[in-house]
Structures are given as C-alpha cells and as structure tokens.
Amino acid sequence: MSSFEFTVPGELGDPAVRAAEVAEPGAVTIVVPTFNESANIGELLHRITESVPSRLPCEVLFVDDSTDDTPEVIAEAAQDCPFPVTVIHREEAVGGLGGAVVEGIKAATSDWIVVMDGDCQHPPSLVPELVATGERAGAGLVVASRYIKGGSRAGLAGNYRVAVSRCATWLTKSLFPRRLHGISDPMSGFFAIRRSAVTAEILQPLGYKILLELAVRSRPRQVTEVPFVFQDRYAGESKSTAQEGLRFLRHLVGLRAASPAARMIGFGLIGATGFLPNLLGLYGLTAAGLHYVPAEIIANQLGVAWNFLLIEHLLFRDRRRHRNWWDRAGRFALLANLDLVLRLPLIALFVDRLGMGALPATALALVTTFVLRFVGTEALVYLPRRGHQGAPVRESETARRAA
Ligand code: GDD
Ligand code: MN
C-alpha cells in the first residue's frame, strides 16, 4: 500500500487530496529536510518503517534542496514503505534548512508534525513517543532534548562542536529567557509540533535553527521535552559550515530585534558606535588641512553612512523590500541630518522657554531627537507602504509587530 508523490512547490497546495492520504486523527507527518543525503535515505526509511507505523499512522514528507540524486533515491526507496512518501523538491533553497522545514510544515495536514534530520542522527523510534507525550500533556510543542536526564549528545562530533553548541545554547537562552523557558535544547533539530499550534506565515527561518524560530516567534502555549541520544551520522558529512554559524548570529539578532523596544535599544547602540567613524573622519580631514566646519559636516556623513549600513543589516533586514536602496539611504540621511539641525533650536527652546540649564537642556534635546529619529526611521524608511506589493508574508508579520 505504498504511495509515492513527487511535487514541486505550488503544485502541492491541494490539501483535500493530501489529507485523504493520512486521514486518521492524531496521525503524524514526519518532515525531513534533505540536502544531498542519498546514502542515508534507505536506512532512514527502513528505521521509520520498523518503529513508527505499527504505533502511529504516519506519512513522510521530504523537503529536498539536493543537487545529487536524493529525490530519485527517495522515489525508489518509497516503493517498500507501508506509508505515503512525498518529496517536495525546491529549485531554490530559500531559507536553507529552516526554509525547507517551514515549507514542509505548510504542506502537512495531519494533527502532528515531527521534524527530523535525514542522516539518522535522530532516532525514528522516538517519533510515536514525542507525539504521545504531546497528547498526554496537552502540549503544542514537544522538544527532543539532549540536555535533560536520559539524553546525550553522543553523536556530536568532536570537542570543538560540543563547545560551540554549548556556547550557542547558553547565548540563545540568555537572549530569550522567557520565550525559551522550559526548553533545555533550543538548538535541537528534532521536535514534534501540533498543527494547530503553528502559524507558519509569521515564520522567517534563516538557516539551521528552526526550532528556535518556532519557539520565539510563535511559541505554543504548552511545551514539554523528551530526552534523546543524538546518534552518529549514518553516512556522509554534516552540511553545517562556518557560514552557517554567521547565519545563526544574524538569525539571533533578527529575532531579538523583533520587538520595538529591543529595536530602539539596538538603534541607540548602533548610533553610539557611529561616533567612531565620525571622529576618525574629523581627525583625518582636519589633519589634511580642511576647515573644521566642512570637516564636521563631511565626518558626520561618515557616521550616518556607518549607522545606515549597520541598521540595514542588523535591525531592519527583513523590512528593506518596501523601498529601494537609494530611497532608504536618502531618507535615512535626511532624518539623521535633520536631527542635527533640530537640536540647536530645541536646546534654545528648552533654555529660553522652560528656563532649563544648558546641560539638562542638551541632554533632553539629545533624547528627544533620538526618539524622533528612531520613530521617523521606522515609519518613513522601513514601514510597508500602503498598497505596495512587497512580500505579503513578511508584510503581515510587520503589521502584527507594529500593532
Ligand atoms: N532541504 C534542506 N536544505 N535540507 C538541509 C539543508 C538545506 O539547505 N541543509 C541541511 N539540510 C538537512 C540535511 O540534509 C540533514 O538532513 C539535516 O538538514 C541536518 O543537517 P546536518 O548537516 O546533518 O546538520 P547537523 O548534524 O550539523 O546539525 C543538526 O544537529 C544540530 C544540533 O547539534 C541539525 O539538526 C541542527 O538543526 C541542530 O541544531
Ligand atoms: Mn546531522
């Protein structure tokens, strides 16, 4: 009774057809992201066959970005499987591993979705237990954790990777103490999630840490954990690279900057670092013999450019598409310079009209123009324009956050 389906994104948006395949309530869709894993597919499907269908109705959905013959190998191996197997092959690996998982979550129709790696590092025998635990606890998310009693990271190769993983976990948990409360292993790539607990539309996955994305952006009400032993890779090598590490850091910053308060702090910190290029510029230009007034003006533009680049890449990364680069840069520069022009009259106003001393007046003016500049940057540079067709998914997210 095996059935195999091969689709490309867009084709598969027919939930009625797919739902009929795994009709049983409480059934699970096992979502497996794959990138060149042909040597692991047979073993993985074999292990799933041995341990899942007898305990829980299941289907397996591969979301594949491979450049090798993984999809063909899956098609072949699916012949022997007593459950439906589907491959979504993506021509463009948008969002990497995390993007693939979200694609799978959107396509899945059963009550539960279990996400697991395609290299047998995650034991399929745990799939029914993850779901059963979730059902019992009334949880929306069940994390398979290496860091609770009974779990271990046996298969994490080398001290270096163990140390990196530890540090990353610590950093992440410190950045999101509330959201990740009760999740000892936010880096895990093995978890079960209740269909009704995810709003896939608000997810903006970036690379490997899809559980983190889910936990922070659409945290299900109830979360539990089940211990597991991270196995050795069956075949092939990890696809994780140093570049993936950088992507992870960007992902962290992006998640942290999702709240307006955190964005304002980031905005202020970045603004403070702008003094550096500003002063260096001033030093260089006056040393080169330029009068200090034009030197001040030019040096200030260096600070503005520095701030703009950092803000674009760290704070408003996902909101850039509403205007083109020149439009954003122009508006940003205008606001930054307006800030300078506004400051003196504001100080004069505070001193003359409110009778403040020069120092508090200056401090108040600095804070006022800072807040104005932040609000202005949000509203005039990065807010989606009415009726402007950016990416609809992200736009709704922006609206949600702004609300
Ligand atoms: N579709 C798709 N696209 N799949 C990908 C991509 C991609 O760009 N990159 C990796 N994968 C697939 C791999 O083929 C594999 O099935 C799974 O994602 C995990 O990739 P690995 O390269 O084996 O990851 P890892 O073992 O280094 O890391 C795993 O363990 C970490 C915990 O230490 C992952 O589960 C991480 O998410 C987890 O944090
Ligand atoms: Mn792996």
Side-chain angles (χ1 to χ4, degrees):
M1 72 143 170
S2 102
S3 88
F4 178 77
E5 199 184 322
F6 185 89
T7 60
V8 290
E11 257 177 37
L12 116 153
D14 190 355
V17 174
R18 296 180 39 82
E21 287 175 4
V22 185
E24 294 93 330
V28 65
T29 300
I30 302 175
V31 170
V32 185
T34 46
F35 181 70
N36 296 351
E37 300 289 4
S38 54
N40 287 308
I41 299 304
E43 182 63 19
L44 179 74
L45 285 174
H46 172 69
R47 291 187 193 181
I48 293 177
T49 304
E50 288 211 315
S51 54
V52 184
S54 60
R55 293 193 276 163
L56 187 67
C58 72
E59 69 171 334
V60 178
L61 172 55
F62 288 93
V63 187
D64 180 69
D65 294 323
S66 297
T67 48
D68 71 357
D69 61 345
T70 300
E72 290 78 27
V73 173
I74 297 172
E76 178 69 31
Q79 311 279 323
D80 304 325
C81 292
F83 44 76
V85 175
T86 309
V87 183
I88 300 174
H89 178 76
R90 307 195 301 169
E91 283 309 323
E92 233 185 297
V94 186
L97 168 50
V101 169
V102 170
E103 193 90 48
I105 289 177
K106 283 185 182 158
T109 49
S110 40
D111 291 356
W112 283 92
I113 297 157
V114 168
V115 175
M116 66 189 292
D117 290 352
D119 55 2
C120 301
Q121 291 196 281
H122 299 151
S125 55
L126 210 65
V127 169
E129 194 181 329
L130 288 174
V131 173
T133 305
E135 285 287 356
R136 236 181 295 125
L141 172 65
V142 186
V143 178
S145 168
R146 298 163 289 177
Y147 300 131
I148 51 174
K149 194 167 173 290
S152 98
R153 39 161 206 274
L156 200 57
N159 288 340
Y160 170 72
R161 279 216 60 180
V162 171
V164 169
S165 170
R166 269 282 170 200
C167 284
T169 304
W170 173 83
L171 174 68
T172 308
K173 294 236 348 153
S174 320
L175 281 173
F176 304 97
R178 267 184 310 142
R179 289 264 150 172
L180 298 181
H181 180 76
I183 302 182
S184 63
D185 195 355
M187 305 300 177
S188 180
F190 192 19
F191 55 89
I193 189 144
R194 210 188 272 271
R195 237 256 64 105
S196 58
V198 251
T199 24
E201 292 66 35
I202 66 166
L203 300 175
Q204 301 170 25
L206 188 64
Y208 268 48
K209 308 305 174 189
I210 179 61
L211 172 61
L212 175 66
E213 175 75 21
L214 271 165
V216 171
R217 278 203 222 273
S218 84
R219 189 180 217 273
R221 257 182 311 116
Q222 188 78 24
V223 181
T224 57
E225 290 193 319
V226 168
F228 91 105
V229 179
F230 193 64
Q231 311 283 329
D232 283 324
R233 215 173 208 281
Y234 180 71
E237 282 175 359
S238 168
K239 309 300 184 295
S240 178
T241 54
Q243 205 184 350
E244 201 54 58
L246 286 181
R247 224 175 176 191
F248 165 62
L249 292 179
R250 268 198 321 192
H251 189 192
L252 275 185
V253 174
L255 281 174
R256 197 54 282 185
S259 88
R263 244 187 345 262
M264 186 142 140
I265 293 171
F267 195 81
L269 289 176
I270 290 173
T273 67
F275 284 124
L276 194 72
N278 193 330
L279 291 179
L280 281 178
L282 188 65
Y283 173 77
L285 290 168
T286 47
L290 197 65
H291 186 269
Y292 81 93
V293 174
E296 289 272 8
I297 294 174
I298 297 173
N300 193 58
Q301 305 315 309
L302 283 180
V304 170
W306 165 277
N307 286 348
F308 177 66
L309 292 178
L310 285 180
I311 278 164
E312 282 260 300
H313 285 280
L314 294 176
L315 287 188
F316 293 101
R317 221 194 147 70
D318 51 326
R319 298 223 221 152
R320 293 179 300 190
R321 68 185 58 71
H322 313 302
R323 299 180 185 280
N324 68 39
W325 192 89
W326 284 109
D327 192 358
R328 299 194 304 273
R331 283 162 175 264
F332 187 86
L334 209 66
L335 282 167
N337 284 294
L338 200 68
D339 168 285
L340 279 187
V341 178
L342 213 72
R343 203 171 297 156
L344 269 184
L346 211 62
I347 295 172
L349 182 86
F350 292 155
V351 172
D352 293 345
R353 290 289 170 89
L354 305 180
M356 291 174 78
L359 217 63
T362 306
L364 185 60
L366 274 171
V367 172
T368 311
T369 52
F370 168 75
V371 172
L372 282 179
R373 192 147 61 89
F374 174 69
V375 173
T377 302
E378 289 247 320
L380 302 176
V381 187
Y382 295 104
L383 201 69
R385 287 186 281 175
R386 202 182 284 232
H388 178 250
Q389 295 301 312
V393 170
R394 305 271 165 98
E395 287 207 357
S396 66
E397 159 63 358
T398 312
R400 191 185 67 93
R401 278 201 224 138

